[in-house]
Amino acid sequence: MQIKPEIRVPLPIENYAMIGDCHTAALVGCDGSIDWLCFPRFDSGACFAGLLGGPEHGRWLLAPSEKIIRVERRYRPGTLILETDLHTEHGSIRLIDFMPLSDERWDVVRIVFGLSGQVMVRMELIVRSTTDPSFPGCVVRTRYYC
Protein backbone atom coordinates (compact mmCIF):
# COMPACT_ATOMS: atom_id res chain seq x y z
CA MET A 1 0.00 0.00 0.00
CA GLN A 2 1.16 3.55 -0.66
CA ILE A 3 0.97 6.34 1.91
CA LYS A 4 1.06 10.03 0.99
CA PRO A 5 2.30 11.80 4.14
CA GLU A 6 1.64 15.25 2.66
CA ILE A 7 -2.10 14.49 2.66
CA ARG A 8 -2.99 13.42 6.21
CA VAL A 9 -6.52 12.49 7.04
CA PRO A 10 -7.57 9.66 9.35
CA LEU A 11 -6.81 6.34 7.69
CA PRO A 12 -9.55 3.80 7.01
CA ILE A 13 -10.01 1.66 10.15
CA GLU A 14 -8.65 -1.44 8.38
CA ASN A 15 -5.26 0.33 8.14
CA TYR A 16 -4.81 0.30 11.92
CA ALA A 17 -3.33 -2.38 14.17
CA MET A 18 -3.75 -2.60 17.94
CA ILE A 19 -1.15 -2.76 20.68
CA GLY A 20 -2.13 -3.03 24.33
CA ASP A 21 -1.21 -3.96 27.89
CA CYS A 22 -4.55 -5.20 29.34
CA HIS A 23 -5.12 -1.74 30.88
CA THR A 24 -5.47 0.22 27.64
CA ALA A 25 -4.77 -0.06 23.93
CA ALA A 26 -3.47 2.09 21.09
CA LEU A 27 -4.27 2.06 17.38
CA VAL A 28 -1.19 2.29 15.16
CA GLY A 29 -1.71 3.37 11.55
CA CYS A 30 0.16 1.78 8.65
CA ASP A 31 1.78 5.21 8.18
CA GLY A 32 3.60 4.95 11.55
CA SER A 33 1.20 7.14 13.53
CA ILE A 34 -0.46 6.22 16.83
CA ASP A 35 -3.80 7.94 16.24
CA TRP A 36 -5.77 6.62 19.24
CA LEU A 37 -4.74 6.09 22.85
CA CYS A 38 -6.60 6.56 26.12
CA PHE A 39 -3.97 6.62 28.82
CA PRO A 40 -3.37 5.02 31.29
CA ARG A 41 -6.67 3.06 31.18
CA PHE A 42 -9.42 2.29 28.67
CA ASP A 43 -11.78 4.67 30.50
CA SER A 44 -9.23 7.54 30.62
CA GLY A 45 -9.37 10.52 28.32
CA ALA A 46 -7.70 10.22 24.93
CA CYS A 47 -4.24 11.78 24.67
CA PHE A 48 -4.05 10.76 20.99
CA ALA A 49 -7.32 11.15 19.08
CA GLY A 50 -6.15 11.88 15.53
CA LEU A 51 -8.37 9.01 14.41
CA LEU A 52 -11.36 11.28 15.02
CA GLY A 53 -10.14 14.25 13.01
CA GLY A 54 -6.54 14.97 12.25
CA PRO A 55 -3.07 15.39 13.76
CA GLU A 56 -4.19 18.44 15.73
CA HIS A 57 -6.31 16.08 17.87
CA GLY A 58 -3.19 14.24 19.03
CA ARG A 59 -0.89 11.59 17.60
CA TRP A 60 2.60 10.13 17.81
CA LEU A 61 4.12 9.80 14.35
CA LEU A 62 7.37 7.97 13.55
CA ALA A 63 7.81 7.68 9.78
CA PRO A 64 10.15 8.34 6.87
CA SER A 65 10.26 11.97 5.76
CA GLU A 66 10.03 10.88 2.14
CA LYS A 67 7.23 9.08 0.32
CA ILE A 68 6.48 5.58 1.59
CA ILE A 69 6.20 3.20 -1.36
CA ARG A 70 5.46 -0.06 0.46
CA VAL A 71 4.35 -1.19 3.92
CA GLU A 72 4.63 -4.64 5.49
CA ARG A 73 3.10 -5.39 8.91
CA ARG A 74 3.00 -8.35 11.25
CA TYR A 75 2.75 -9.26 14.91
CA ARG A 76 5.53 -11.31 16.45
CA PRO A 77 4.03 -14.78 16.97
CA GLY A 78 1.92 -15.08 20.11
CA THR A 79 2.31 -11.40 21.05
CA LEU A 80 0.91 -7.91 20.53
CA ILE A 81 4.36 -6.70 19.45
CA LEU A 82 3.73 -5.00 16.12
CA GLU A 83 6.43 -4.78 13.45
CA THR A 84 5.92 -2.35 10.57
CA ASP A 85 8.42 -2.18 7.70
CA LEU A 86 8.26 1.12 5.83
CA HIS A 87 10.01 1.17 2.45
CA THR A 88 11.05 4.30 0.55
CA GLU A 89 13.04 4.94 -2.61
CA HIS A 90 16.25 5.38 -0.57
CA GLY A 91 15.89 2.66 2.04
CA SER A 92 13.73 0.88 4.60
CA ILE A 93 13.10 1.11 8.33
CA ARG A 94 11.37 -1.16 10.82
CA LEU A 95 9.10 0.32 13.48
CA ILE A 96 8.43 -1.90 16.50
CA ASP A 97 5.52 -0.91 18.76
CA PHE A 98 4.33 -2.52 21.98
CA MET A 99 3.02 -1.86 25.48
CA PRO A 100 4.73 -3.99 28.18
CA LEU A 101 2.47 -5.74 30.67
CA SER A 102 2.67 -4.25 34.17
CA ASP A 103 0.38 -3.38 37.06
CA GLU A 104 2.79 -0.71 38.31
CA ARG A 105 3.53 1.43 35.24
CA TRP A 106 2.15 2.10 31.78
CA ASP A 107 4.39 2.56 28.78
CA VAL A 108 4.24 2.78 25.03
CA VAL A 109 7.51 1.58 23.52
CA ARG A 110 8.45 2.55 19.97
CA ILE A 111 11.72 1.41 18.40
CA VAL A 112 12.96 2.43 14.95
CA PHE A 113 15.91 0.86 13.22
CA GLY A 114 17.29 0.84 9.71
CA LEU A 115 16.89 -2.17 7.44
CA SER A 116 18.59 -0.81 4.31
CA GLY A 117 19.87 2.40 2.76
CA GLN A 118 19.61 5.73 4.56
CA VAL A 119 16.21 7.06 5.59
CA MET A 120 15.42 10.42 7.19
CA VAL A 121 12.89 9.70 9.96
CA ARG A 122 10.52 12.33 11.29
CA MET A 123 8.94 12.25 14.72
CA GLU A 124 5.90 14.26 15.67
CA LEU A 125 4.37 14.00 19.13
CA ILE A 126 1.13 15.93 19.69
CA VAL A 127 -0.48 15.28 23.06
CA ARG A 128 -4.01 16.50 23.79
CA SER A 129 -6.38 16.14 26.71
CA THR A 130 -10.05 15.33 26.19
CA THR A 131 -10.80 15.60 29.91
CA ASP A 132 -9.05 18.88 30.82
CA PRO A 133 -9.87 21.75 28.43
CA SER A 134 -7.32 23.97 30.20
CA PHE A 135 -4.46 21.61 29.22
CA PRO A 136 -2.71 23.43 26.36
CA GLY A 137 -1.30 20.25 24.84
CA CYS A 138 2.26 19.52 23.83
CA VAL A 139 3.88 19.44 20.40
CA VAL A 140 7.36 18.03 19.70
CA ARG A 141 8.80 17.63 16.20
CA THR A 142 12.23 16.31 15.14
CA ARG A 143 14.02 14.52 12.30
CA TYR A 144 16.99 12.13 12.28
CA TYR A 145 18.72 9.64 9.99
CA CYS A 146 18.32 5.93 10.46
Side-chain angles (χ1 to χ4, degrees):
M1 79 188 67
Q2 183 176 332
I3 307 298
K4 296 181 180 179
E6 64 277 3
I7 302 172
R8 183 63 169 93
V9 296
L11 299 169
I13 195 68
E14 64 267 20
N15 289 337
Y16 287 94
M18 187 184 80
I19 59 172
D21 63 2
C22 296
H23 298 282
T24 193
L27 293 178
V28 184
C30 63
D31 60 353
S33 182
I34 295 179
D35 287 340
W36 182 259
L37 175 61
C38 294
F39 205 70
R41 300 182 341 205
F42 286 110
D43 60 351
S44 301
C47 58
F48 302 141
L51 180 69
L52 301 180
E56 68 277 7
H57 297 109
R59 74 170 179 180
W60 186 3
L61 174 72
L62 282 169
S65 292
E66 63 184 292
K67 181 179 173 183
I68 299 168
I69 56 176
R70 187 167 47 101
V71 177
E72 299 169 53
R73 303 183 93 185
R74 71 202 144 277
Y75 288 102
R76 290 186 178 172
T79 74
L80 279 179
I81 299 173
L82 177 65
E83 294 183 346
T84 305
D85 295 345
L86 302 165
H87 304 276
T88 71
E89 182 180 338
H90 295 101
S92 301
I93 61 170
R94 176 166 293 153
L95 177 58
I96 300 172
D97 292 300
F98 63 96
M99 297 174 74
L101 296 175
S102 175
D103 287 329
E104 298 173 11
R105 57 181 291 163
W106 302 271
D107 298 303
V108 177
V109 178
R110 307 196 83 193
I111 302 168
V112 180
F113 66 91
L115 295 175
S116 66
Q118 187 173 22
V119 178
M120 172 73 78
V121 176
R122 64 189 177 123
M123 192 279 297
E124 181 177 79
L125 176 65
I126 303 172
V127 180
R128 298 289 184 234
S129 173
T130 58
T131 57
D132 183 0
S134 67
F135 178 72
C138 170
V139 177
V140 178
R141 291 184 175 96
T142 190
R143 294 176 189 265
Y144 58 92
Y145 278 103
C146 191

